[in-house]
Amino acid sequence: MSHRALAFTAESLLEKLRLLPAANAYIVSLSGGADSTALLHAMTTVQSQLENPLSAVHVNHGLHDDADLWQSRCETFCRQLGVDLTCLPIEPGNKSGKGLEAEARHLRYEAIAELLNPGDSLLTAHHADDQAETLLLNLMRGSGVDGLSGMPESRPLGKGFLQRPMLDFQSHALKNYLEKNKIDWTEDPSNQYLNHDRNFVRHEILPLLEKRWPEVGKRLLLTRKAMSGARQLLEDLADKNLRKAQIHPLVIRLSTDLKDDIELLKLVLRRWIKQTGRHSIPAYRLETFCQQLLHASTDNNVSVSWDGCVLRFYRQHLWLQTGAKILPCALTTWPTGTTRFELGRDTGYLQLTTKDANVDLSRTMLEKTITTGGRGVLEERVIQQGGHHKNLKKLLQAAGIPPWLRDSIPLCTMDGELLAVGDWCLNDQFEAWLQENDSRLSWHPQHPMLRLIHAQLHLKKH
């Protein structure tokens, strides 16, 4: 059956929902437009058969003079249906540089994701025409198999997931449903603005293609189906290789197989980044990064940055930083008489503990003034260990700590001497003092990468 012949009814929506992963609760994204209005009304009709809580969410972007009026209409509609509505204000301002439309979409999903509990489903009213537009837009952006697979019917979002049960229905079918049920909807005039890429495709490109190739939307959706099958095969291949290479959610080993096959490497990297929930790396940057890897020596610090992420190569491993820059360990003095010392958001804390009930470490620490900081803020560069003076730089290199993480390793000094590097390399005199008091120094980093480094160093030590 063609998409044009598929009528939208509450019963047909229920059939689609039952094909999607089960949800604990449904939250309909309601703009007040025809599509989301039809979705919410149909959901209320079949709610008793779903036996799941149903609510709605409206995001007020504040971009139009009538934004508050549209919110008020959504509130009235939900009261008439007996559906709880949450209204979320956002303030897009094109701060990301990707355009107002893209930023508004990002902020909208970010705000809604905060509402979702585990197992909750956000239902959006994307339909077959939206899908066709998305395919054309992605084609113009030079997308590969992922982009030409279009919008998935279900994907993770926050603690729950986003579901699109209306992708088989066309826009006119949804409006027919509303007219049949005598339901009004709001028209957003910005949907006619041709300076928005999607509107240009909708009002100019697709009608022109339709004249030459009737049912072009259906043809595009057949392409999407073929690409979805190809994407699944590629994802399976990427997952198989990623499982072999991944040693941590943020670190993979660059095996010979990956380095010798640049297309496989790009496939695995895109899949890895996607699994972290971050935006994909631009194709040209990924290509440049992979080419640099082919010619990089073991200790070369090759890196690429995009959208707040950094991917780095060091000693045959790739490290993915997905958030804010990891903070260095700040220069501070250990408060006298304390056995636990806070180091900062990422670096965590240092702690002295003893197994001897007769030892009062707090009293003992009153006699000592210990300064803690990172490599970049302390002058001490050698530590006496095993009767030898060892160079700090060589110690960190030998430990395999990537250069960009070295300033976050806490160093403890007293009276001009380096006492400890983290908690695995200790000055001879300091270690003897710890043994004399049946005590130990332990470092508890908070950032996932520092935790990995810490675990690896203790594994080597033992």
Side-chain angles (χ1 to χ4, degrees), residues 145-424:
V145 172
D146 275 1
L148 297 183
S149 297
M151 296 179 287
E153 289 183 323
S154 182
R155 70 169 177 84
L157 179 66
K159 295 178 181 178
F161 40 90
L162 180 153
Q163 294 182 323
R164 302 180 176 100
M166 300 169 72
L167 290 177
D168 285 341
F169 304 100
Q170 288 195 309
S171 175
H172 72 83
L174 306 182
K175 290 181 179 176
N176 287 343
Y177 172 87
L178 293 175
E179 291 168 355
K180 181 179 179 180
N181 287 280
K182 296 181 173 56
I183 301 169
D184 294 328
W185 66 88
T186 298
E187 290 286 359
D188 183 349
S190 70
N191 289 333
Q192 305 299 318
Y193 298 165
L194 297 184
N195 57 317
H196 294 165
D197 289 345
R198 183 172 291 275
N199 291 343
F200 182 73
V201 167
R202 178 180 302 160
H203 299 299
E204 298 288 329
I205 302 302
L206 278 173
L208 184 62
L209 292 175
E210 187 77 28
K211 289 181 181 178
R212 180 73 178 184
W213 294 284
E215 294 193 330
V216 67
K218 181 180 177 182
R219 296 166 187 255
L220 287 170
L221 295 178
L222 289 174
T223 298
R224 181 241 171 208
K225 184 177 180 180
M227 290 297 101
S228 294
R231 182 182 68 178
Q232 186 60 57
L233 290 174
L234 290 173
E235 286 180 351
D236 291 344
L237 177 62
D239 287 342
K240 179 181 177 181
N241 283 273
L242 187 56
R243 282 193 296 270
K244 291 191 292 185
Q246 197 165 20
I247 63 172
H248 182 271
L250 301 176
V251 183
I252 65 172
R253 183 176 59 257
L254 186 59
S255 65
T256 303
D257 289 345
L258 290 179
K259 201 167 183 180
D260 288 347
D261 188 339
I262 192 169
E263 294 303 322
L264 178 61
L265 175 59
K266 289 189 288 187
L267 178 69
V268 170
L269 291 180
R270 283 194 294 265
R271 182 64 171 165
W272 179 33
I273 293 165
K274 183 177 181 180
Q275 288 181 354
T276 68
R278 300 293 170 170
H279 293 296
S280 61
I281 181 172
Y284 73 95
R285 291 191 183 180
L286 180 59
E287 178 69 29
T288 301
F289 178 74
C290 290
Q291 290 293 341
Q292 291 174 337
L293 287 181
L294 295 180
H295 308 290
S297 63
T298 300
D299 288 340
N300 278 142
N301 187 10
V302 179
S303 66
V304 59
S305 303
W306 77 100
D307 284 344
C309 298
V310 185
L311 181 60
R312 295 183 176 94
F313 167 72
Y314 182 68
R315 293 195 180 182
Q316 302 306 324
H317 288 79
L318 295 171
W319 300 67
L320 180 60
Q321 180 181 316
T322 58
K325 181 180 178 181
I326 301 172
L327 296 176
C329 185
L331 178 64
T332 47
T333 299
W334 196 314
T336 56
T338 61
T339 57
R340 171 171 166 148
F341 185 37
E342 300 292 338
L343 302 170
R345 182 191 70 195
D346 296 327
T347 320
Y349 64 93
L350 287 167
Q351 187 161 24
L352 278 168
T353 56
T354 180
K355 297 178 181 179
D356 191 340
N358 296 317
V359 174
D360 185 354
L361 285 177
S362 297
R363 182 178 295 277
T364 304
M365 290 300 292
L366 286 171
E367 304 168 4
K368 302 181 181 298
T369 302
I370 298 177
T371 299
T372 302
R375 179 190 57 166
V377 294
L378 290 175
E379 297 180 359
E380 290 78 7
R381 286 292 182 267
V382 294
I383 186 168
Q384 184 175 332
Q385 190 182 51
H388 300 89
H389 286 85
K390 296 184 178 180
N391 180 273
L392 177 60
K393 180 179 180 180
K394 291 181 178 179
L395 274 174
L396 296 175
Q397 287 177 337
I401 300 173
W404 64 91
L405 294 178
R406 293 175 188 170
D407 285 346
S408 299
I409 306 299
L411 310 175
C412 294
T413 68
M414 186 175 67
D415 298 332
E417 284 193 60
L418 191 54
L419 298 183
V421 180
D423 60 0
W424 69 89

Side-chain angles (χ1 to χ4, degrees), residues 119-166:
D120 285 356
S121 168
L122 173 72
L123 297 180
T124 66
H126 294 109
H127 48 67
D129 296 332
D130 293 325
Q131 187 74 286
E133 294 161 10
T134 297
L135 260 65
L136 276 179
L137 286 168
N138 287 343
L139 185 63
M140 293 302 99
R141 292 167 183 151
S143 297
V145 172
D146 275 1
L148 297 183
S149 297
M151 296 179 287
E153 289 183 323
S154 182
R155 70 169 177 84
L157 179 66
K159 295 178 181 178
F161 40 90
L162 180 153
Q163 294 182 323
R164 302 180 176 100
M166 300 169 72

Side-chain angles (χ1 to χ4, degrees), residues 26 28 30 40-41 43-45 47-48 52-57 73-86:
Y26 290 110
V28 173
L30 178 66
L40 181 60
H41 184 272
M43 283 295 296
T44 61
T45 303
Q47 183 183 4
S48 60
N52 300 96
L54 174 66
S55 61
V57 59
R73 288 177 178 173
C74 288
E75 290 169 340
T76 300
F77 185 55
C78 286
R79 278 196 301 271
Q80 292 171 348
L81 295 177
V83 173
D84 289 336
L85 174 68
T86 300

